[in-house]
């Protein structure tokens, strides 16, 4: 039904604030998240994901080159 939309939260990268629903331009937002707390920690999760991806990329590159990743 149309009236049962779940509340979504967004992290505004410009202001550092959590928004309930989309209030700012999309290029300033990370999300959506199910809770305000998840949105509040979006930048931390993004950094952690980027670190994991960089390590995965380095490991794969080392394997392609026949090297040991440490």
């Amino acid at each position: 039904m149309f009236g049962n939309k779940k509340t979504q939260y967004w992290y505004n990268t410009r202001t550092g604030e959590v928004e309930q629903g989309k209030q700012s331009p999309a290029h300033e937002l990370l999300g959506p998240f199910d809770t305000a707390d998840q949105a509040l920690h979006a930048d931390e999760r993004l950094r952690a994901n980027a670190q994991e991806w960089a390590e995965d990329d380095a490991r794969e590159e080392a394997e392609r080159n026949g090297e040991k990743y440490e």
Side-chain angles (χ1 to χ4, degrees), residues 4 7 13 19 21 24 31-32 34 41 45 48 50 63 65:
N4 291 338
T7 301
T13 59
E19 298 180 4
S24 297
D34 292 332
H41 298 287
R45 185 70 246 158
E63 289 174 1
N65 293 330

Side-chain angles (χ1 to χ4, degrees), residues 45-67:
R45 185 70 246 158
L46 187 62
R47 278 193 292 276
N49 285 348
Q51 179 66 32
E52 290 174 23
W53 296 330
E55 290 173 6
D56 288 346
D57 288 347
R59 186 177 302 105
E60 290 172 6
E61 180 70 20
E63 289 174 1
R64 277 194 296 275
N65 293 330
E67 301 168 355

Side-chain angles (χ1 to χ4, degrees), residues 7 9-10 13 16 20 35 37 43-44 51 56 62 65 69:
T7 301
Y9 298 89
W10 303 80
T13 59
Q20 186 174 344
T35 68
D37 189 58
D43 59 335
E44 295 166 18
Q51 179 66 32
D56 288 346
N65 293 330
Y69 177 79

